[in-house]
């Protein structure tokens, strides 16, 4: 039999509240709230990182972190420091001499389309 206090904690968690918010609302320590949620909540449900709505998990699939593509894109746009960019290349533009970065393209030559156009009109080539 689940106590009334535990049921209240689980109901707040289903609405998407964080452990610390539930703790502040109920006066129960954060560790106890976490323990109640881990012990009694449905294991197939997690909560969207952006809006906190419940996200139903599918067995034998990768765990979903977001309820929709809109939430996923909004969260990643708000947290660019969490992106693990591995393919960052550093170049120097042959036309203007400015150093620039390119993500995912290691064949880039010019820093911008304007430098490319100016180099072509003056007969300067970055590849030759």
């Amino acid at each position: 039999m689940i106590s009334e206090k535990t049921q209240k904690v689980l109901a707040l968690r289903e609405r998407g509240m964080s452990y610390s918010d539930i703790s502040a609302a109920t006066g129960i320590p954060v560790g106890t709230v976490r323990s109640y949620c881990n012990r009694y909540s449905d294991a197939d449900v997690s909560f969207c990182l952006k809006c906190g709505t419940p996200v139903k998990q599918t067995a034998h699939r990768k765990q979903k972190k977001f309820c929709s593509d809109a939430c996923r894109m909004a969260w990643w746009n708000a947290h660019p420091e969490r992106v693990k960019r591995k393919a960052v290349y550093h170049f120097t533009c042959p036309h203007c001499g400015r150093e620039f970065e390119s993500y995912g393209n290691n064949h880039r030559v010019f820093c911008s389309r304007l430098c490319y156009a100016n180099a072509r009109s003056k007969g300067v080539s970055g590849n030759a």
Side-chain angles (χ1 to χ4, degrees):
M1 180 78 180
I2 299 176
S3 71
E4 186 178 318
K5 185 168 48 170
T6 305
Q7 288 176 351
K8 184 174 182 181
V9 167
L10 295 176
L12 293 173
R13 185 65 178 160
E14 284 180 10
R15 283 198 264 155
M17 291 180 71
S18 68
Y19 296 143
S20 58
D21 291 342
I22 295 170
S23 174
T26 60
I28 301 171
V30 177
T32 306
V33 170
R34 185 180 301 117
S35 176
Y36 287 166
C37 292
N38 289 336
R39 187 177 309 139
Y40 297 111
S41 67
D42 185 7
D44 292 339
V45 176
S46 62
F47 297 92
C48 178
L49 291 178
K50 174 70 177 145
C51 64
T53 59
V55 178
K56 183 88 170 130
Q57 300 296 330
T58 307
H60 308 293
R61 298 281 183 190
K62 183 178 176 183
Q63 182 181 4
K64 295 179 186 178
K65 296 180 182 180
F66 304 99
C67 62
S68 66
D69 285 339
C71 277
R72 178 181 52 82
M73 289 186 282
W75 191 87
W76 282 110
N77 286 334
H79 299 87
E81 72 283 354
R82 302 276 306 264
V83 178
K84 294 182 177 88
R85 295 184 180 232
K86 296 178 183 176
V88 177
Y89 301 99
H90 301 277
F91 300 104
T92 303
C93 179
H95 180 70
C96 66
R98 188 179 75 163
E99 293 184 5
F100 66 96
E101 291 181 346
S102 174
Y103 175 67
N105 183 359
N106 62 348
H107 300 295
R108 190 143 166 212
V109 177
F110 296 98
C111 65
S112 66
R113 292 186 62 82
L114 182 63
C115 277
Y116 169 72
N118 289 339
R120 287 206 36 145
S121 67
K122 293 182 181 179
V124 177
S125 174
N127 293 337

